[in-house]
Amino acid sequence: MEHIYIRSFASPVGMLQILSDGENITEVRFSDKAVNAVNDAIPSLLEAEKQIQEYFIGTRKTFTVPVKTEGTNFQKAVWKAMSEISYGDKITYKGLASAAGHPKACRAVGNACGANPIPIIIPCHRVISATGEGGFSGGINIKRFLLELEKRTPGE
C-alpha cells in the first residue's frame, strides 16, 4: 500500500495542501484548513513548499520538484504541454489543444485543465478562453491573482 504524505501551509491565496507519495508531488489542493500528517517532513513536501513560497515572492519562475500524475494518456499529454507554458505567458484552450497534439479537442482540453491535480506547479492558471479568463479549480479570484503576480514579476 502506497503512503500519502500531506503538508499544509498558508499562502497568499489561502491554505494550500501538498500531497506526496514520499518522492513525488502528487497533488496540490486549495483548502480552508491545515492538515498535517505525522510524517509531513518528507523532503519532497518541504521542497515543494519552499518552491511555491519562492514563486509567490517572485523569485521562482519554474518548478523543479518531481511530480507524478494519475490520469488518461490524453490528460497527461495536456498536463505535459501545460507544464511547458512559460512564466508570465498565457495560452488559449485551443492553443493548448494544438500544443498537446489534439487541435480539435478544445473542450476536452478544458476538462483536462480542470482535472489537473497539481495546480500552480503545473500551471493551468495560464490557460485562458479565447473570450476571457476561463475556469480554474481554485476559483477565478485565485486565477486572477496568479496571472497578476506573473505580470508584476516578469519571467526571464
Side-chain angles (χ1 to χ4, degrees):
M1 182 174 159
E2 186 176 311
H3 289 283
I4 299 296
Y5 304 96
I6 302 173
R7 183 166 182 85
S8 299
F9 65 97
S11 80
V13 295
M15 192 62 64
L16 293 178
Q17 295 176 354
I18 308 170
L19 284 71
S20 172
D21 63 8
E23 294 181 26
N24 304 290
I25 300 307
T26 58
E27 214 172 320
V28 172
R29 297 177 182 165
F30 300 96
S31 181
D32 58 357
K33 62 182 176 190
V35 177
N36 284 329
V38 174
N39 296 315
D40 72 342
I42 301 299
S44 61
L45 290 174
L46 297 172
E47 183 61 25
E49 178 182 351
K50 175 181 171 271
Q51 289 188 22
I52 291 171
Q53 295 287 24
E54 291 169 347
Y55 167 80
F56 281 124
I57 62 172
T59 60
R60 177 167 294 275
K61 310 298 188 221
T62 59
F63 293 93
T64 59
V65 291
V67 299
K68 181 180 172 186
T69 56
E70 297 289 331
T72 66
N73 288 337
F74 176 81
Q75 288 173 323
K76 289 179 179 182
V78 171
W79 298 334
K80 181 180 182 312
M82 201 182 309
S83 294
E84 295 168 3
I85 305 167
S86 296
Y87 182 97
D89 286 346
K90 293 181 272 190
I91 192 171
T92 63
Y93 293 103
K94 182 177 182 178
L96 183 58
S98 291
H102 301 277
K104 297 189 184 286
C106 298
R107 188 175 303 252
V109 162
N111 290 336
C113 287
N116 173 18
I118 311 175
I120 301 174
I121 294 173
I122 298 177
C124 51
H125 62 278
R126 297 178 187 153
V127 184
I128 59 170
S129 72
T131 59
E133 297 165 326
F136 185 66
S137 62
I140 198 65
N141 289 335
I142 293 176
K143 181 173 187 160
R144 288 179 186 144
F145 177 89
L146 298 173
L147 292 172
E148 283 299 314
L149 170 72
E150 292 184 13
K151 277 187 193 175
R152 290 191 306 268
T153 54
E156 283 107 25

